[in-house]
């Protein structure tokens, strides 16, 4: 039911709202939900006037209107220059749909099994590199696993030297763009310092390596036999019979890397942090996985993505007026689907902050109550990939070693690009390998 008037506004100067929202978006949204109610309005420099919503009926309506609305302005402002103009993440309307149609089939859930060995081998290599008995940070290890998986399963790079060079350049550039100083990378006037010249150089080198890979793939007589995603994109055709050009293939590869690498690694790091704080769940999971049972593992992953959603919100700009979150909103309003607020509604999840994987074992959760991958025609294209990767990586790690927490405090969330990451990197201690 619509209320009269506009959603209540965050009563702070715009500069302060911007700062708080940018630095700690999760805490910002929770605080103002508690103060103002579930639908509220914030003013933030950059994206603009934002209305946050979190009730499943409104989310359903918002995502159902994806063909009409556009993505929120400022989406990936930091990553935009790295993604390139063809990127699926940044395209709109019919151009977006055309590309999405071409890119969806390789990400079909059933296809993911082809990557099981690649994922488990990457996880095994990671476990083999961990020190025994001294605390180490799990998050960077998870990043190394997911980067290797993307380079092998998505890019399909088999030349080890090229893979190593690309991986080194990507790690450096991704690390740099995660820092707030990255603004210099996208504002040309600030690009004169040695650090930005180095990033520019790395970016050029990454493009050269990807171009070489694409050229070789186009000429590969065994293209049809290959199961990596680049090979499928090289072979795919749009409805009019044309193929993706090299420049666009490059943009989609960077998009899949940037959207799929950090997110999945962070999901894994949070899952370990939650397991470390919940020893009963950790023990049950370890026992079941070692006995070859996976129902609880899937529930653990779902519950982890609920309590600690890696991406805390996703936005749309309304092209038509709409009744959402209890208010009539004008065209032009930027509506934020507040993923972390939806996941912590007590009417949907009793004791919402408790980690209880049993919720997902005992019953089905409604589609718009669990939205770690967003929704509508812009829902994460890699959702099945990410969940499969988390499942195989967790299974491999739990089967091959004994881990314990490296700290007795739960991790605080910090912003890294569009994700919320564990601030301390999830400290763990390897007690031994099995
Ligand atoms: C736990 C891991 C991941 C999380 C939490 C996540 C989350 C998201 C979210 C919230 C969106 C925006 C959806 C919307 O606006 O409605 C998105 C979009 C996207 N994700 Fe993911 N993602 C993950 C892993 C991946 C992986 C593994 C890939 C690919 C290898 C990927 C590729 C993409 C792409 C291409 C889009 C843009 C889709 C479009 O605009 O049509 N993501 N993701």
């Amino acid at each position: 039911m619509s209320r009269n008037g506009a959603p209540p506004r965050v009563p702070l100067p715009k500069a302060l709202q911007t700062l708080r929202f940018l630095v700690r978006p999760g805490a910002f949204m929770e605080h103002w939900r508690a103060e103002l109610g579930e639908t509220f309005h914030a003013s933030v420099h950059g994206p603009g006037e934002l209305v946050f919503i979190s009730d499943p009926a409104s989310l359903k309506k918002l995502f159902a209107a994806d063909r009409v609305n556009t993505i929120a302005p400022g989406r990936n402002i930091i990553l935009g220059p790295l993604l390139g103009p063809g990127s699926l993440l940044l395209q709109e309307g019919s151009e977006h749909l055309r590309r999405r149609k071409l890119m969806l089939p390789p990400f079909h859930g059933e296809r993911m099994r082809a990557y099981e060995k690649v994922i488990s081998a990457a996880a095994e290599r990671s476990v083999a590199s961990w020190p025994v008995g001294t605390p180490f940070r799990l998050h960077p290890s998870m990043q190394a696993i997911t980067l290797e998986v993307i380079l092998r399963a998505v890019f399909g790079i088999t030349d080890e030297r090229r893979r190593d060079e690309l991986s080194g350049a990507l790690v450096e550039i991704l690390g740099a763009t995660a820092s707030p100083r990255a603004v210099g990378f996208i504002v040309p006037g600030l690009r004169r310092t040695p650090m930005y010249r180095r990033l520019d150089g790395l970016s050029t080198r990454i493009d050269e390596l990807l171009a070489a890979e694409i050229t070789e793939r186009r000429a590969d007589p065994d293209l049809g036999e290959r199961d990596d995603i680049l090979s499928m994109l090289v072979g795919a055709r749009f409805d009019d019979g044309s193929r993706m050009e090299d420049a666009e293939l490059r943009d989609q590869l960077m998009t899949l890397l940037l959207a799929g690498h950090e997110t999945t690694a962070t999901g894994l790091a949070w899952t370990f942090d939650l397991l470390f704080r919940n020893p009963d769940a950790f023990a049950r999971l370890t026992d079941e996985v070692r006995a070859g049972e996976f129902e609880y593992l899937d529930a653990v992953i779902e519950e982890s993505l609920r309590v600690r959603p890696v991406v805390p919100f996703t936005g749309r700009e309304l092209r038509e007026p709409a009744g959402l979150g209890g208010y009539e909103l004008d065209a032009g309003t930027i509506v934020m689907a507040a993923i972390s607020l939806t996941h912590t509604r007590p009417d949907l999840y009793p004791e919402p902050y408790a980690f209880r994987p049993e919720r997902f074992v005992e019953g089905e959760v409604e589609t718009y109550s669990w939205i770690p991958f967003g929704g509508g025609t812009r829902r994460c294209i890699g959702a099945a990939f990410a969940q499969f990767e988390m499942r195989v990586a967790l299974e491999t790690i739990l089967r091959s070693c004994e881990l314990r927490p490296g700290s007795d405090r739960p991790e605080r969330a910090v912003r890294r690009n569009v994700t919320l990451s564990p601030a301390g990197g999830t400290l763990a201690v390897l007690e031994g390998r099995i």
Side-chain angles (χ1 to χ4, degrees):
M1 229 196 9
S2 285
R3 285 183 279 266
N4 288 328
R9 285 173 174 264
V10 172
L12 291 179
K14 190 167 177 176
L16 199 54
Q17 294 191 49
T18 307
L19 187 70
R20 296 209 175 143
F21 179 62
L22 289 182
V23 176
R24 298 198 60 201
F28 178 91
M29 292 190 296
E30 296 224 0
H31 178 81
W32 292 110
R33 166 172 68 181
E35 294 288 320
L36 302 173
E38 64 176 43
T39 306
F40 60 90
H41 179 141
S43 300
V44 174
H45 286 292
E49 305 301 308
L50 314 174
V51 171
F52 291 83
I53 63 165
S54 56
D55 69 288
S58 296
L59 292 167
K60 183 175 179 182
K61 204 167 156 188
L62 179 71
F63 289 134
D66 264 357
R67 282 169 194 249
V68 180
N69 298 329
T70 59
I71 49 176
R75 177 184 258 204
N76 284 340
I77 196 158
I78 299 286
L79 298 178
L82 280 178
L83 297 177
S87 167
L88 185 72
L89 259 170
L90 306 177
Q91 290 284 323
E92 297 277 13
S94 56
E95 284 302 313
H96 170 258
L97 277 183
R98 182 169 167 264
R99 290 177 167 87
R100 189 159 165 110
K101 208 169 152 196
L102 190 95
M103 292 174 71
L104 266 175
F107 285 97
H108 192 270
E110 284 304 303
R111 284 217 58 266
M112 296 303 122
R113 287 182 211 290
Y115 307 131
E116 183 162 359
K117 281 212 178 74
V118 167
I119 302 166
S120 60
E124 273 163 17
R125 264 190 293 281
S126 190
V127 173
S129 74
W130 296 342
V132 179
T134 43
F136 70 100
R137 289 157 64 235
L138 268 172
H139 193 204
S141 291
M142 298 303 117
Q143 288 168 320
I145 295 174
T146 61
L147 182 59
E148 185 175 340
V149 169
I150 296 247
L151 292 181
R152 287 173 189 264
V154 178
F155 293 19
I157 303 183
T158 45
D159 176 339
E160 232 167 274
R161 281 212 350 243
R162 184 177 292 161
R163 204 168 49 225
D164 286 350
E165 191 184 350
L166 196 52
S167 154
L170 288 168
V171 166
E172 192 174 339
I173 214 161
L174 294 176
T177 54
S179 126
R181 287 180 303 159
V183 68
F185 191 54
I186 54 164
V187 179
L190 295 178
R191 282 194 198 153
R192 289 198 199 99
T193 64
M195 178 190 157
Y196 299 121
R197 276 205 299 274
R198 173 152 179 80
L199 291 183
D200 264 347
L202 284 172
S203 168
T204 308
R205 186 66 191 133
I206 290 169
D207 285 355
E208 285 166 2
L209 292 166
L210 291 182
E213 192 65 32
I214 292 168
T215 306
E216 283 172 26
R217 204 64 60 81
R218 286 214 193 274
D220 188 341
D222 300 323
L223 187 72
E225 313 296 308
R226 301 186 55 133
D227 55 21
D228 59 88
I229 287 171
L230 172 60
S231 296
M232 281 178 256
L233 294 182
V234 164
R237 287 173 187 273
F238 290 111
D239 286 345
D240 64 4
S242 64
R243 296 183 193 270
M244 260 193 200
E245 307 215 334
D246 286 8
E248 179 169 351
L249 279 169
R250 177 260 170 225
D251 291 355
Q252 305 308 2
L253 287 180
M254 285 306 282
T255 300
L256 296 174
L257 170 86
L258 289 170
H261 151 66
E262 178 80 28
T263 43
T264 313
T266 304
L268 282 164
W270 278 126
T271 306
F272 277 108
D273 185 58
L274 290 162
L275 289 170
F276 288 164
R277 310 302 143 215
N278 294 276
D280 291 347
F282 194 13
R284 174 171 171 192
L285 177 67
T286 308
D287 288 349
E288 293 198 12
V289 163
R290 288 182 186 166
E293 287 164 29
F294 301 111
E295 191 188 21
Y296 196 63
L297 174 58
D298 289 337
V300 162
I301 293 169
E302 284 165 327
E303 176 70 343
S304 165
L305 290 171
R306 180 190 72 81
V307 200
R308 289 299 199 177
V310 175
V311 180
F313 54 81
T314 182
R316 303 288 191 268
E317 182 171 342
L318 301 185
R319 288 275 153 238
E320 291 173 355
L324 293 168
Y327 296 90
E328 285 304 323
L329 304 178
D330 295 332
T333 308
I334 300 164
V335 181
M336 295 303 227
I339 298 172
S340 56
L341 297 186
T342 306
H343 289 183
T344 48
R345 289 175 66 104
D347 57 337
L348 301 177
Y349 301 99
E351 290 184 73
Y353 296 94
F355 178 73
R356 287 186 37 224
E358 291 71 19
R359 302 177 205 270
F360 290 89
V361 176
E362 284 156 10
E364 284 288 299
V365 173
E366 275 177 54
T367 319
Y368 295 95
S369 302
W370 187 79
I371 50 162
F373 299 104
T377 55
R378 307 212 69 122
R379 184 174 189 266
C380 177
I381 203 174
F385 190 113
Q387 281 173 277
F388 185 74
E389 183 172 358
M390 288 179 74
R391 185 185 209 252
V392 176
L394 282 164
E395 179 197 343
T396 308
I397 294 167
L398 295 177
R399 273 181 193 272
S400 52
C401 68
E402 299 289 353
L403 280 177
R404 65 173 162 82
S407 148
D408 52 17
R409 265 180 296 164
E411 288 280 2
R412 199 169 49 79
V414 286
R415 185 188 181 109
R416 251 180 84 93
N417 290 327
V418 296
T419 65
L420 286 184
S421 283
T426 310
L427 278 182
V429 175
L430 177 66
E431 295 194 310
R433 297 187 183 85
I434 299 172

